[in-house]
Amino acid sequence: MSDGSTESEPEDHLADVPAKQSHPERRRWPRQSDAQVASRSEAPPALTPLRFSTRELAPAEQFQAWRAHMAPLVEVALPDNKSPDDGFLADQTAWHLGNLLIVQQKTPAHSYARSRAMLRLSPIDHWYVELLRGGRAWTEVDRRVAESGPDKFTFRSLGYPYRGRTTESDAVLLFMPYNLLAENAGILEAANNSTLSGNLAKLLANYVHGVEQSLDNLKAEELPRLVHTIRDIVVACVSSSVPPTTATLPNMSMMERAHRYIHSNLNSDDLTPDTICRALGISRTRLYQLFGASGGVLNYIRKRRLLAAYADLSDPTNNRPISEIAEAAGFDLAANFTRAFGHEFGFSPREIRKAAAAEYPVSPVALPERRRGGTFGDWLNTLGN
């Protein structure tokens, strides 16, 4: 299949080989021009923080603003001895590193809950690590409570219901989409709501602290390495805390099972509502109910495939023609793929590939953010699943 144009070799980002030098022993590699060196050294920082704060609001409005901001993820409530009129000074700064969202957060004491009803209405099933620098938090999953604090970190899945409470706290939260950790999903699911400690946890804390200090100066070409390093340390921490043979599939929610099946078979031509129903042992009606809030199961699959296409196009080592990537995403016509891709991410497929080749990749921009500024759920949705 063709997308209407001929793919060319990526020649534009290679330096021209200079003519033979009079003293060739002095330089064996092509010399970069002053303009090339200046362009790379003067490249702007890759990250623009996303911010949310209640400080500019009247005290009586602050908690409601926080509650609305967090509503796509959790339902929050004040302690029994607090009134909304008392004020609620909360601050969040989020940094989107492509496949990782780093959130720096300060909040007063409150409780939170992600119910089964919320899971049925949400396609978000990310993993996250909570690192508290101040305060304490207690979170219950399946009648098991994990405590986190300055010397204890917790690992959790948003694909399961949970509830908890926190004191006034200062935290760093690392949110990672399922696909980033898919190879280790079995072990990670067994470690849901586990406490991370020991030398590996200290290594993770020190590394994240170092990344935090550089967030406003990072260059685009550095982001993939940082994300993969954090991923590897997280997997090592979690893997050391659970037996590798532990199985948790019977305890998964039906939505979680559906997500896992779709992710595992995303490239299959036979990924249809009927095959999903047979694999999960549910009716089509039940399947449509599960994905009703996501615009239907076919829309969910389509979005996951577009996210996979985005990852392929933003990988400078991936030389597959755009037409092949489009076909793998389920599009027979290049125009339809380009239109759907632009609607989803705000950029065309060629713009993403060109930026990746130049080592200045761009992050997808969710529709809600492009139109009105995002909630916390919108921030997470930019990571995909």
Side-chain angles (χ1 to χ4, degrees):
M1 173 185 136
S2 172
D3 61 0
S5 63
T6 302
E7 291 289 324
S8 59
E9 294 295 326
E11 299 170 347
D12 54 344
H13 65 288
L14 300 177
D16 292 332
V17 178
K20 186 176 180 180
Q21 304 292 319
S22 58
H23 301 284
E25 71 280 1
R26 295 169 60 185
R27 179 173 296 275
R28 296 189 177 186
W29 300 102
R31 181 190 299 273
Q32 288 184 311
S33 69
D34 292 341
Q36 286 177 306
V37 174
S39 174
R40 185 172 296 275
S41 62
E42 296 173 4
L47 303 178
T48 301
L50 304 166
R51 302 187 189 278
F52 175 85
S53 177
T54 64
R55 294 184 179 275
E56 296 183 359
L57 300 174
E61 299 174 354
Q62 290 173 350
F63 180 71
Q64 290 304 320
W66 171 255
R67 185 177 185 182
H69 178 64
M70 297 300 296
L73 183 67
V74 290
E75 175 70 21
V76 296
L78 289 169
D80 292 340
N81 61 344
K82 292 292 183 179
S83 165
D85 295 334
D86 296 334
F88 192 89
L89 295 177
D91 297 288
Q92 274 185 345
T93 302
W95 304 83
H96 193 301
L97 279 69
N99 275 337
L100 173 70
L101 190 72
I102 298 179
V103 180
Q104 300 160 316
Q105 174 178 291
K106 293 183 179 181
T107 62
H110 65 281
S111 63
Y112 46 87
R114 183 165 173 81
S115 66
R116 291 191 181 277
M118 294 185 72
L119 289 180
R120 288 195 294 269
L121 298 174
S122 172
I124 298 172
D125 60 353
H126 302 354
W127 311 97
Y128 79 97
V129 176
E130 179 183 60
L131 299 88
L132 289 184
R133 289 181 289 221
R136 296 278 174 180
W138 297 263
T139 305
E140 177 189 351
V141 175
D142 197 23
R143 299 183 180 180
R144 183 166 57 90
V145 177
E147 178 183 355
S148 56
D151 56 343
K152 298 178 180 178
F153 314 138
T154 52
F155 175 81
R156 195 167 296 120
S157 169
L158 298 180
Y160 293 82
Y162 63 85
R163 63 177 181 173
R165 64 182 179 89
T166 179
T167 65
E168 181 177 359
S169 63
D170 179 0
V172 181
L173 308 174
L174 310 177
F175 290 90
M176 295 159 283
Y178 172 79
N179 279 347
L180 183 64
L181 303 170
E183 294 180 359
N184 306 98
I187 293 176
L188 300 181
E189 286 158 4
N192 185 30
N193 203 41
S194 63
T195 300
L196 310 180
S197 59
N199 291 331
L200 288 174
K202 292 178 182 177
L203 176 63
L204 175 62
N206 291 336
Y207 190 80
V208 171
H209 178 66
V211 171
E212 279 189 278
Q213 295 181 324
S214 303
L215 285 169
D216 55 357
N217 292 314
L218 291 174
K219 300 298 186 289
E221 61 267 26
E222 299 170 326
L223 302 185
R225 299 185 188 92
L226 293 175
V227 172
H228 290 162
T229 300
I230 291 175
R231 177 201 63 189
D232 291 344
I233 300 176
V234 168
V235 170
C237 285
V238 175
S239 298
S240 66
S241 67
V242 294
T245 57
T246 303
T248 59
L249 185 60
N251 297 323
M252 285 188 193
S253 69
M254 187 56 68
M255 174 63 88
E256 184 75 356
R257 293 189 190 190
H259 285 179
R260 296 294 180 258
Y261 182 84
I262 291 172
H263 284 298
S264 298
N265 295 276
L266 196 59
N267 294 326
S268 172
D269 294 334
D270 197 33
L271 184 60
T272 65
D274 286 339
T275 59
I276 297 172
C277 289
R278 287 196 297 271
L280 301 180
I282 60 176
S283 66
R284 288 176 68 100
T285 300
R286 175 61 173 146
L287 182 67
Y288 294 151
Q289 289 173 344
L290 287 174
F291 288 92
S294 303
V297 63
L298 292 176
N299 183 67
Y300 180 85
I301 294 171
R302 176 174 170 272
K303 183 171 182 178
R304 300 286 80 73
R305 285 174 167 168
L306 284 171
L307 286 164
Y310 178 92
D312 287 342
L313 291 166
S314 59
D315 180 359
T317 66
N318 190 320
N319 295 320
R320 293 169 64 200
I322 293 177
S323 59
E324 288 187 10
I325 294 174
E327 188 172 358
F331 292 86
D332 293 332
L333 297 177
N336 291 343
F337 174 66
T338 299
R339 187 181 306 110
F341 192 94
H343 180 78
E344 187 69 35
F345 302 116
F347 302 95
S348 73
R350 292 191 180 281
E351 287 176 315
I352 299 299
R353 168 152 284 179
K354 182 178 180 181
E359 293 191 338
Y360 297 112
V362 292
S363 298
V365 181
L367 273 175
E369 285 192 295
R370 296 203 294 269
R371 291 175 179 170
R372 57 173 176 77
T375 65
F376 195 75
D378 297 324
W379 295 358
L380 290 177
N381 278 326
T382 64
L383 292 177
N385 288 92

